[in-house]
Amino acid sequence: MTSERMSSEEPTFERFLQAVRGTNPFRSHRITDVGGGEATVASIHKNAFNKLTRVVQDAAKEPISIGALLIGAPGVGKSHLLARLFQWAGEDKATVVYLHNILASPERMLRYVLHATVSDLAGHRGSDYTQSRLYTILNRALIRSGAFKSRKTMMGPREIEARKEALARLGARIDPHNAVIPVLNAFLTGTSHGSLGDAAAEKRAHAAVLWLSGETLGPDEARLLDSARLLDQAAGTADDGLALPDDAAVERVLHVLAHLCALAELPLVLCLDQVDNLDPDAVRALMSYAHALLDRARHLVVIVSGVKQSMLSLRTGEVIPAAAWDRIAERILELHMISPEEARAILEGRLDAALSGFEEIEEVIAARRRDRLFPLGSAWLEQRLAGVEELRPRDAILWARDRWEAQQDRLAAVGGKRWLKEWPGPGPDGGPAPAPAPKLEDVIDAEVKKKLEEGTMRRRLQQASLPPDEDNLASLTHHLLARCAGQTGATLLGIEHLTAKKRGKAPAYHLLAREKRADGVIVTTGVTFVCAPSGHGARMPLQRMADDTKTTDKRILVTDEERRPLRLGGAGKAAFDALCKLGRQRFLHLHLDFAGHAELDSLVGLLGAARSQDLEIEHPRGQYRKVTEAEVLASFQRQSLLLAHPLLRELLTEEIVKGGADSVAPPAWDPQQTREHIMAELSWRLGLMAKELAQIFATRKKLQDRRFPEVWAHIKKTAQALHDEGHVHATATDDDLFVQLRGKK
């Protein structure tokens, strides 16, 4: 990049005004990414935070496991506290795994917790496990425990073999059944040799991650693990493949991981956030498994977080059994409202972060010297806090959001010089008279749409938090469709979630739907999800579908096209070909990309937030009300949001949906130029919304206003790619992204 280019990006007063116009640092009032760089205030909920860190430290020192219950009213700061814990843990303190919207069938809930945990620790990029937390934990455990003396960072074959032997010795102490350590050794050595260019070793590491996640391996993958015990198991289960056989085996993996984290002096903390968003059956299963984990594991902390009223209702209604409650609520941390002084500290903290790139500009220095809350204003805050003894952090941030918007309006109306000279401007709020209140339904629809896009983007930015999982996909789909059965305008009469009984034969389908066509004919449809990593794993599900000639009129196969495209061996291909011969009216192969999975998750998450009374809108302006689950469902229907999803539409309309995504024309701009634009704009300030980056980009390109949505989408896509590559950190905020350079806080 040329020196002229760099100098043109230096902060100026005009740049400051541009930032005020385009970015609102108070737009986000809830945490969507605990690993984000959002400014926090250490004094807020300080006692609760200190209690939480002591719980983690206690579990690290003693061979015990501790349950902690974090409760409070909606908007009081529970997720912010967990975000602070995550940031604290990142300072070489602990291994925090944040699990949100954990949805699976009750009997497979523990397996999905393991799948999500290992996915988080290993990451979703199988070719770069050296950067994963799991690889770091294993190497640190060997060194900190004294099992391995060398501290070399570069490893050759001898060093790798020595670490393998050290882990095996350590395993004799923490894994007496020798069931998990051999696979962790396959991961450790496979990753190490893979970093030296051994492609076969990378495959071994990937097979180890699959097994540790509770997934099924075929004979070829099982042989990669080089474990005599596992090879014997694989030989005895040729049809079903090699996988953790039961919940006890799943628990064992989590126990060993927790013990290794403790030896690495990075104790394992599982954060189950917003569990009250789940249906009662899911809550009951999740809490029962959490109870069992805490009773039998060592050096483990399980933090359960939820809205106080909802959590207490789950307890009094015996959805959470008394014994499980006593264990998960061994330490109770209740967050309360904050004082006006603390509210001011929150606003000051966000302003300090937002204006850090302009701290040398004379006009900004002078304005903030007069008033630390510039451009909000201390007088404005005092007026808002008049008579207020306590409030929620969310309320203070929402007030500041509105105040910032009023200043944006004033700035647009009079220009930068006059705005600054006359600041804070006329009127009690420094802005124009409020516009007439929109209709309630319109406000709900806008909020629902923004939150759905936010949830989808959040998962896109953190793909490891939503691993490819057949049962999760089936559970999400069932959760949504069960609420639509029998509704006007939908052909769906009923939906059943089929699960394998213990020691029983697996069903042919995950879901069985009954639909009524316009001509009155009842059609039964079976839906099978396949996310198998190999052809062996896909063979039996396809065979069961092909063999079913009586149960269904139509069969739908759903595969994860982006991450786990359907792989077929000889027998699997024969079964798939037999299904294809049934014709499009009787068999549909629906290709789902990651966005399709994330959309299902986001739809379910929004319903859960409403159920736990944690979804709010502002209507009329300045007044906040909760949105009910029924109102969210009604909004889904008004906006046809369920029908927009290809799988849901197929089961709600009795129409054939073409598989695969539509091709999208490449952008008209040079991708490298767009990347340079984003990095240059971020080089001199804390961060920007993608929308502001798009506005700057469109202005420089002199693009017409009608093209702005296209530019904005292009900027968001490029920012997501830079996030994946580790150059920036992007955080989903409503329908936008807040983008920061890595390492900047």
Side-chain angles (χ1 to χ4, degrees), residues 60-104:
K61 296 172 186 174
E62 303 293 334
I64 57 173
S65 290
I66 304 173
L69 180 64
L70 179 61
I71 56 176
V76 81
K78 297 181 294 297
S79 293
H80 279 79
L81 193 70
L82 293 180
R84 284 175 59 191
L85 180 71
F86 193 93
Q87 293 167 8
W88 171 84
E91 298 169 1
D92 223 23
K93 301 287 200 321
T95 303
V96 176
V97 176
Y98 180 77
L99 302 175
H100 171 67
N101 205 26
I102 294 293
L103 189 61

Side-chain angles (χ1 to χ4, degrees), residues 276-286 314 319-320 483 611:
D276 47 334
N277 285 10
L278 303 176
D279 280 347
D281 287 346
V283 173
R284 184 180 292 107
L286 185 57
L314 292 169
V319 173
I320 302 177
R483 286 157 172 74
R611 188 183 315 114

Side-chain angles (χ1 to χ4, degrees), residues 188-404:
L188 178 65
T189 58
T191 300
S192 300
H193 282 294
S195 69
L196 301 177
D198 186 342
E202 283 186 4
K203 292 181 180 178
R204 183 165 72 251
H206 185 58
V209 169
L210 293 174
W211 186 88
L212 291 166
S213 301
E215 298 203 64
T216 301
L217 304 183
D220 292 340
E221 291 89 356
R223 280 190 286 272
L224 288 172
L225 296 184
D226 194 26
S227 167
R229 175 173 177 167
L230 292 178
L231 286 171
D232 289 343
Q233 288 181 23
T237 58
D239 284 345
D240 295 332
L242 175 67
L244 297 169
D246 50 33
D247 285 346
V250 172
E251 275 192 31
R252 195 176 297 122
V253 175
L254 287 166
H255 295 172
V256 172
L257 289 174
H259 207 139
L260 285 167
C261 286
L263 291 173
E265 299 175 8
L266 295 169
L268 181 60
V269 182
L270 299 182
C271 288
L272 308 178
D273 193 18
Q274 299 177 4
V275 298
D276 47 334
N277 285 10
L278 303 176
D279 280 347
D281 287 346
V283 173
R284 184 180 292 107
L286 185 57
M287 294 301 95
S288 295
Y289 283 127
H291 179 196
L293 276 175
L294 288 167
D295 274 353
R296 293 192 276 269
R298 295 180 178 182
H299 303 293
L300 174 68
V301 176
V302 176
I303 301 172
V304 174
S305 173
V307 174
K308 179 181 178 180
Q309 182 178 347
S310 301
M311 293 300 297
L312 293 178
S313 295
L314 292 169
R315 170 66 193 94
T316 55
E318 298 186 350
V319 173
I320 302 177
W325 179 273
D326 291 343
R327 197 66 176 90
I328 64 174
E330 184 179 350
R331 311 278 179 91
I332 297 179
L333 299 92
E334 182 177 353
L335 301 190
H336 299 284
M337 302 284 196
I338 61 172
S339 68
E341 292 74 22
E342 289 173 318
R344 182 185 178 100
I346 289 174
L347 302 189
E348 286 182 355
R350 287 217 184 181
L351 284 173
D352 288 346
L355 302 179
S356 62
F358 306 100
E359 51 198 9
E360 296 182 2
I361 297 174
E362 281 186 30
E363 293 88 342
V364 178
I365 293 172
R368 295 210 77 197
R369 189 177 293 141
R370 291 199 316 270
D371 191 331
R372 178 80 184 280
L373 283 181
F374 171 83
L376 301 179
S378 296
W380 158 81
L381 183 60
E382 289 171 7
Q383 182 182 7
R384 290 306 311 247
L385 291 171
V388 175
E389 295 183 1
E390 59 180 14
L391 68 159
R392 303 179 307 170
R394 182 181 296 177
D395 294 329
I397 295 169
L398 288 170
W399 293 347
R401 179 205 63 188
D402 295 345
R403 173 64 173 176
W404 190 281

Side-chain angles (χ1 to χ4, degrees), residues 432-653:
K439 291 181 180 178
L440 175 61
E441 288 184 352
D442 292 341
V443 176
I444 292 175
D445 288 351
E447 185 69 11
V448 163
K449 195 168 183 179
K450 284 191 299 184
K451 291 305 176 189
L452 286 178
E453 189 165 347
E454 177 185 284
T456 301
M457 285 195 296
R458 180 177 68 244
R459 292 297 198 184
R460 168 67 182 81
L461 296 169
Q462 307 161 38
Q463 283 198 35
S465 69
L466 190 67
D469 188 277
E470 295 153 2
D471 189 67
N472 175 250
L473 277 167
S475 298
L476 290 168
T477 305
H478 177 261
H479 186 102
L480 293 165
L481 292 177
R483 286 157 172 74
C484 301
Q487 285 190 356
T488 304
T491 60
L492 185 67
L493 299 176
I495 184 82
E496 184 179 1
H497 190 177
L498 308 176
T499 55
K501 295 181 171 57
K502 290 184 178 179
R503 300 185 183 88
K505 186 178 179 181
Y509 309 102
H510 289 101
L511 301 177
L512 203 60
R514 289 189 309 111
E515 300 172 83
K516 186 176 182 179
R517 292 194 322 218
D519 58 6
V521 174
I522 304 298
V523 177
T524 302
T525 303
V527 185
T528 295
F529 298 86
V530 173
C531 297
S534 68
H536 180 89
R539 179 171 66 88
M540 288 308 296
L542 290 172
Q543 191 64 58
R544 287 191 288 267
M545 288 184 77
D547 290 344
D548 175 49
T549 58
K550 298 179 180 179
T551 306
T552 61
D553 302 295
K554 186 164 68 175
R555 290 160 251 198
I556 299 177
L557 171 67
V558 184
T559 57
D560 185 328
E561 183 68 14
E562 186 173 331
R563 297 178 293 175
R564 294 278 178 84
L566 184 63
R567 297 181 181 179
L568 298 172
K573 187 176 187 308
F576 183 74
D577 289 344
L579 288 166
C580 290
K581 288 177 182 177
L582 296 173
R584 292 275 294 173
Q585 294 300 320
R586 297 181 62 199
F587 172 69
L588 171 66
H589 180 194
L590 201 154
H591 303 82
L592 203 65
D593 58 10
F594 178 77
H597 189 172
E599 285 165 15
L600 292 173
D601 177 82
S602 186
L603 287 162
V604 171
L606 193 58
L607 287 171
R611 188 183 315 114
S612 63
Q613 302 182 46
D614 200 19
L615 180 65
E616 295 179 338
I617 58 167
E618 186 179 9
H619 188 272
R621 192 73 167 174
Q623 297 180 25
Y624 300 95
R625 69 179 293 273
K626 302 189 187 305
V627 182
T628 67
E629 188 175 7
E631 288 175 324
V632 172
L633 278 169
S635 179
F636 286 176
Q637 187 173 15
R638 283 194 299 273
Q639 301 186 78
S640 299
L641 294 173
L642 299 183
L643 292 176
H645 193 281
L647 174 58
L648 301 179
R649 180 178 178 82
E650 173 61 29
L651 293 166
L652 289 172
T653 61

Side-chain angles (χ1 to χ4, degrees), residues 90-168:
E91 298 169 1
D92 223 23
K93 301 287 200 321
T95 303
V96 176
V97 176
Y98 180 77
L99 302 175
H100 171 67
N101 205 26
I102 294 293
L103 189 61
S105 54
E107 55 273 16
R108 292 185 64 86
M109 184 67 77
L110 180 62
R111 193 171 292 259
Y112 186 66
V113 168
L114 174 67
H115 195 175
T117 299
V118 173
S119 177
D120 187 276
L121 295 177
H124 72 281
R125 298 183 190 86
S127 61
D128 196 18
Y129 286 133
T130 57
Q131 303 301 310
S132 70
R133 292 200 284 171
L134 182 58
Y135 188 67
T136 299
I137 288 163
L138 291 175
N139 283 298
R140 278 186 54 140
L142 293 176
I143 294 170
R144 298 290 176 96
S145 67
F148 187 75
K149 302 298 183 184
S150 173
R151 292 179 177 269
K152 291 181 181 178
T153 54
M154 298 296 293
M155 287 189 287
R158 283 188 179 181
E159 178 92 358
I160 294 170
E161 186 62 26
R163 292 191 184 223
K164 177 181 178 181
E165 293 172 0
L167 184 55

